[in-house]
Amino acid sequence: MNNVVLVGRLTKDPDIRYIPGTGTPVATFTLAIDRDYKNKDGSTTTDFIPVELMGKPAEFCANYITKGRLVGVQGNIRVDRYETPNGEKRTFTKVAARNIQALESKGSAAPNTSNDNFEAPVFEPSGVVSPSEFSAVENDDVPF
């Protein structure tokens, strides 16, 4: 199973590009995530995790998520392999995200962001069924 959930702050505004031919939006950004322990000197270590997001969540990200915002990201770990022009083989690890959610309003983000009181909408993927839409199956032919 390859599943990851991260909570962190964007280090800069997301970069958006579109895949040629299909026009699918792709947003890339880096999350800064503090480790949950302190070093001997009392400081914390921060990890910088590259994230790639495609489709409608990428458009949401480009329109509403800015540098310093606290977000939650769900996806999986991807390891890309490539070869440099010099023939060296390299690997690059990133999170291929499926969902993103802003965890704070724009006005309560880091001090260097704008101070208008705009609340970003929560991105909900289409096709999600709420528990109230399920109904019990009452069928004696069900084998369990």
Side-chain angles (χ1 to χ4, degrees), residues 4-7 29 31 51 71-75 95 97 99-101:
V4 63
V5 176
L6 300 172
V7 175
F29 54 91
L31 280 182
V51 179
V71 297
V73 171
Q74 178 197 19
V95 173
N99 297 316
I100 186 168
Q101 184 167 355

Side-chain angles (χ1 to χ4, degrees), residues 24-25 53-61 123 126:
T24 303
L53 192 60
M54 296 178 71
K56 288 190 181 211
E59 289 178 337
F60 168 81
C61 186
F123 175 77
S126 61

Side-chain angles (χ1 to χ4, degrees), residues 56-57 59-65 69-72 100-106 117-125:
K56 288 190 181 211
E59 289 178 337
F60 168 81
C61 186
N63 291 329
Y64 297 106
I65 307 296
R69 294 286 298 274
L70 184 68
V71 297
I100 186 168
Q101 184 167 355
L103 298 178
E104 65 186 1
S105 66
K106 198 175 204 179
N117 291 325
F118 176 75
E119 180 79 26
V122 173
F123 175 77
E124 290 290 333

Side-chain angles (χ1 to χ4, degrees), residues 20-95:
T22 63
T24 303
V26 179
T28 55
F29 54 91
T30 301
L31 280 182
I33 304 171
D34 288 337
R35 294 189 182 175
D36 60 351
Y37 62 88
K38 294 189 184 241
N39 298 328
K40 289 180 182 179
D41 63 356
S43 65
T44 58
T45 302
T46 303
D47 292 310
F48 297 92
I49 313 293
V51 179
E52 182 178 77
L53 192 60
M54 296 178 71
K56 288 190 181 211
E59 289 178 337
F60 168 81
C61 186
N63 291 329
Y64 297 106
I65 307 296
T66 56
K67 176 183 177 179
R69 294 286 298 274
L70 184 68
V71 297
V73 171
Q74 178 197 19
N76 54 54
I77 304 287
R78 293 273 169 93
V79 179
D80 291 336
R81 292 171 178 80
Y82 65 96
E83 194 169 315
T84 65
N86 297 337
E88 298 176 37
K89 294 186 183 208
R90 303 252 173 114
T91 59
F92 180 74
T93 305
K94 66 182 173 188
V95 173

